[in-house]
Amino acid sequence: LPIYVILAGPPGVGKTFAARRLAYSIMGAKDRTRVQMIQFHQSYSYEDFMMGYRPTASGGFTLAEGPFYRFCEEARKDDVNRPYFFIVDEINRGNISKIFGELLMLIEADKRGHELRLLYKNETFSVPPNVHIIGMMNTADRSLSVLDYALRRRFGFFHMTPGFASNGFRAWQHSVESTVLDALLAVIVDLNLEIAKDPALGPGFAIGHSYLSAPPTDVADDEWLTSVVEDELVPLLDEYWFDEPETAHRWADTLRSALA
């Protein structure tokens, strides 16, 4: 059966990392040629996703194939038992019916193999059985409406939470041996509890562990931790509590005190 999942969670919980690892684990190999990632946005359309007419330098128009059409055609040429994964970042940012069009029917599990005539091309099209779709959904974006119900019916949802208590993160934290990192993590854990209890926010706005995952140098020095707090966490809190600046300032001061 085709796999349709959406990894939902606040920023920094590793949705992109998990999506790729999920694809590779099911494939049984780290084959980048069978994985493609795109990102939806509010102007994204069927013409961008599937196919549509595009202007040319000469002033005319030409029919251009979109990434999903090309990806399906590549998968169709391969062995039906070799899985292909199409990953959509920010899947809840797009207008789903505008982007998917007739594909909403074709991606249903029991409609695999069914064909429909394409909107812009005089040919029939079906989604190959070896094409799987993984979506990623940011639960902390105020600008987004509830995900389209038609898509929600077709996908399984997995909610990801901060992994500060995971074995991998704890092992890295222990190896760093930084009292400043330990103090900052303790504050963030308490901060996430308050965010979760806030009726205007909730668990979907928690601070993810990737904010404090290993930096490029793999050394959690004070300069890097200060940059994380001042350049990433404090602005994030200002956005979360834009209507309660005193709360944002209180937690900003608490985060800074952990660095002292």
Side-chain angles (χ1 to χ4, degrees), residues 196-218:
K197 291 187 295 184
D198 191 319
L201 298 173
F205 288 76
I207 293 171
H209 57 274
S210 70
Y211 283 101
L212 286 174
S213 293
T217 58
D218 207 34

Side-chain angles (χ1 to χ4, degrees), residues 19 32 43 70 75-76 145 149 152 165 183 193 197 205 257:
R32 299 178 187 274
S43 298
R70 293 192 300 268
R76 201 186 313 278
S145 58
Y149 179 70
R152 191 175 284 275
L193 291 176
K197 291 187 295 184
F205 288 76
S257 67

Side-chain angles (χ1 to χ4, degrees), residues 158-221:
F158 293 87
H159 290 271
M160 299 180 63
T161 56
F164 294 116
S166 66
N167 292 334
F169 190 92
R170 285 193 178 279
W172 175 75
Q173 179 187 355
H174 180 72
S175 69
V176 169
E177 297 182 343
S178 167
T179 55
V180 176
L181 175 64
D182 294 342
L184 186 57
L185 283 170
V187 171
I188 291 176
V189 169
D190 290 339
L191 172 58
N192 278 344
L193 291 176
E194 177 154 342
I195 290 173
K197 291 187 295 184
D198 191 319
L201 298 173
F205 288 76
I207 293 171
H209 57 274
S210 70
Y211 283 101
L212 286 174
S213 293
T217 58
D218 207 34
V219 177
D221 57 23

Side-chain angles (χ1 to χ4, degrees), residues 58 137 194:
S58 61
M137 174 177 164
E194 177 154 342

Side-chain angles (χ1 to χ4, degrees), residues 79-241:
D79 187 331
V80 71
N81 295 314
R82 278 169 55 85
Y84 281 64
F85 282 86
F86 196 83
I87 301 175
V88 182
D89 189 22
E90 303 284 4
I91 196 169
N92 53 332
R93 277 189 174 273
N95 182 326
I96 298 304
S97 58
K98 175 184 176 184
I99 294 171
F100 279 85
E102 69 271 13
L103 298 177
L104 273 177
M105 188 189 84
L106 295 180
I107 65 173
E108 291 189 45
D110 59 350
K111 298 295 192 304
R112 287 301 178 97
H114 287 225
E115 295 184 336
L116 283 179
R117 189 163 299 280
L118 294 176
L119 180 62
Y120 287 101
K121 202 171 185 180
N122 188 26
E123 69 174 46
T124 56
F125 177 83
S126 65
V127 179
N130 57 338
V131 169
H132 310 280
I133 302 175
I134 300 175
M136 291 175 287
M137 174 177 164
N138 183 357
T139 56
D141 195 326
R142 298 177 189 271
S143 67
L144 304 178
S145 58
V146 177
L147 188 65
D148 189 286
Y149 179 70
L151 198 67
R152 191 175 284 275
R153 284 195 303 114
R154 291 162 171 79
F155 283 75
F157 278 70
F158 293 87
H159 290 271
M160 299 180 63
T161 56
F164 294 116
S166 66
N167 292 334
F169 190 92
R170 285 193 178 279
W172 175 75
Q173 179 187 355
H174 180 72
S175 69
V176 169
E177 297 182 343
S178 167
T179 55
V180 176
L181 175 64
D182 294 342
L184 186 57
L185 283 170
V187 171
I188 291 176
V189 169
D190 290 339
L191 172 58
N192 278 344
L193 291 176
E194 177 154 342
I195 290 173
K197 291 187 295 184
D198 191 319
L201 298 173
F205 288 76
I207 293 171
H209 57 274
S210 70
Y211 283 101
L212 286 174
S213 293
T217 58
D218 207 34
V219 177
D221 57 23
D222 292 355
E223 183 179 351
W224 174 68
L225 293 173
T226 299
S227 175
V228 170
V229 170
E230 296 296 342
D231 301 333
E232 298 183 60
L233 298 184
V234 170
L236 184 67
L237 297 183
D238 287 338
E239 180 182 336
Y240 280 3
W241 282 305

